[in-house]
Amino acid sequence: MAMHLRRAISNRNATLLFRNGSSALQSQQSWFHTPCSRNNGFFRTQYSDPTLSAFGFMQDYRRGFAKGKRSKDDSGAGSTVEVVDIGPTVKETAVSQMEAAIVALSRELTKLRTGRASPGMLDHIIVETGGVKMPLNHLAVVSVLDSKTLSINPYDPNTLKELESAIVSSPLGLNPRVDGQRLIAAIPALTKEHIQAMCKVVAKTSEDVKQSIRRSRQKALDMMKKAGSSLPKDQMKRLEKEVDEVTKKYVKSADDICKAKEKEINEG
């Protein structure tokens, strides 16, 4: 009798435990996860069981993340970064600036009077006619009659007096005379003091131009530094060497021009 009673109680407890477990499971299902769906581009799966839901969610999330990463890698692999070669631009800019400095040097040296007649020695003179200021070479043709004489032929004979006045007022020390519809200017011999003063001017002009050339070099190097890592090291070294060679070339050119001018002054 006692044995049957214990079996009945054991069966009753097992039934209650099963019912309670089922109720708890149903309660957990309704509380933890109602059927849901994710429609954010990666997830379109519905889950009902909590355990399976969590596992399935993580599985789809990892799968979706992997797809996103792969597409990102694919797009990155397809893109290319264009590296611009600034070498030609840097070199051309430097050459242009240095060439302009040499042209300016030649123009300045023609303003210096030597003992020899030169048609360009009057180019810097400004003439005022009719209330307008213009360079002399825009109003007249200057030619060399001999090594000591210049001829000034105006396009308009009415500007002859203005041309004469401008030449006399210039620092060249010339006193032209009227010869019909033209002017004749004799180039006087240079004094020793004048020669020394002119040579000093040439030396100062030469140094100014060479400094301008070196500044052009520095600008080129600054452009290269701004490019930074976009240029390989070997290309940077090669470009710097080319700029240095161009700089030496134009510095030498300035020296040669100034030495020739000093020789011309001393022989005049």
Side-chain angles (χ1 to χ4, degrees):
M1 182 68 179
M3 185 180 296
H4 288 293
L5 182 59
R6 284 196 299 269
R7 289 179 179 177
I9 292 174
S10 177
N11 290 336
R12 182 173 179 274
N13 290 338
T15 302
L16 291 174
L17 180 62
F18 176 78
R19 289 179 180 177
N20 291 337
S22 298
S23 299
L25 181 60
Q26 291 176 359
S27 175
Q28 185 180 11
Q29 288 177 348
S30 61
W31 169 259
F32 179 80
H33 205 305
T34 58
C36 64
S37 62
R38 299 292 299 272
N39 287 316
N40 58 359
F42 284 138
F43 316 111
R44 292 185 175 84
T45 307
Q46 293 185 348
Y47 307 103
S48 57
D49 184 82
T51 305
L52 294 178
S53 298
F55 177 77
F57 176 81
M58 291 301 298
Q59 187 177 20
D60 280 358
Y61 178 82
R62 293 170 65 182
R63 185 182 302 116
F65 178 80
K67 289 180 180 178
K69 185 176 181 181
R70 184 166 57 251
S71 62
K72 182 178 180 181
D73 290 343
D74 291 343
S75 61
S79 62
T80 57
V81 178
E82 182 180 359
V83 178
V84 180
D85 184 8
I86 66 169
T89 302
V90 170
K91 189 175 179 180
E92 289 174 7
T93 302
V95 169
S96 177
Q97 293 173 349
M98 294 176 187
E99 185 68 32
I102 294 297
V103 171
L105 172 63
S106 299
R107 185 171 58 248
E108 288 298 316
L109 293 182
T110 58
K111 298 178 183 180
L112 300 179
R113 181 173 72 85
T114 64
R116 296 181 181 181
S118 171
M121 65 188 303
L122 305 181
D123 287 350
H124 67 284
I125 296 177
I126 302 298
V127 181
E128 183 174 357
T129 176
V132 179
K133 294 182 178 181
M134 300 178 65
L136 185 145
N137 57 4
H138 289 186
L139 298 171
V141 176
V142 180
S143 58
V144 177
L145 296 180
D146 56 53
S147 62
K148 298 291 183 178
T149 310
L150 287 177
S151 172
I152 301 97
N153 296 273
Y155 297 120
D156 182 0
N158 295 325
T159 62
L160 197 63
K161 290 184 178 180
E162 287 85 351
L163 289 170
E164 181 183 7
S165 177
I167 294 172
V168 172
S169 301
S170 72
L172 295 176
L174 302 179
N175 291 295
R177 60 181 176 83
V178 178
D179 181 28
Q181 294 185 344
R182 68 176 183 174
L183 295 172
I184 300 297
I187 309 300
L190 296 176
T191 63
K192 184 177 180 180
E193 291 76 13
H194 197 168
I195 290 175
Q196 291 176 348
M198 290 298 100
C199 288
K200 288 181 180 179
V201 172
V202 172
K204 178 65 167 59
T205 305
S206 173
E207 188 59 34
D208 291 343
V209 170
K210 286 189 286 187
Q211 287 181 3
S212 177
I213 292 172
R214 295 187 184 103
R215 283 194 297 269
S216 298
R217 172 188 176 274
Q218 187 59 48
K219 289 179 181 179
L221 297 180
D222 291 342
M223 289 178 64
M224 293 164 56
K225 288 180 181 178
K226 288 181 180 179
S229 59
S230 62
L231 286 177
K233 289 184 178 180
D234 57 341
Q235 186 175 353
M236 287 277 285
K237 291 181 179 179
R238 177 180 57 80
L239 184 57
E240 183 176 352
K241 183 178 179 181
E242 291 178 358
V243 171
D244 286 340
E245 290 175 353
V246 170
T247 302
K248 292 178 182 179
K249 171 186 173 182
Y250 280 96
V251 167
K252 184 179 184 302
S253 178
D255 281 333
D256 292 343
I257 292 173
C258 290
K259 287 179 181 178
K261 189 66 177 181
E262 288 179 351
K263 183 180 179 180
E264 181 182 349
I265 293 172
N266 288 316
E267 291 177 353

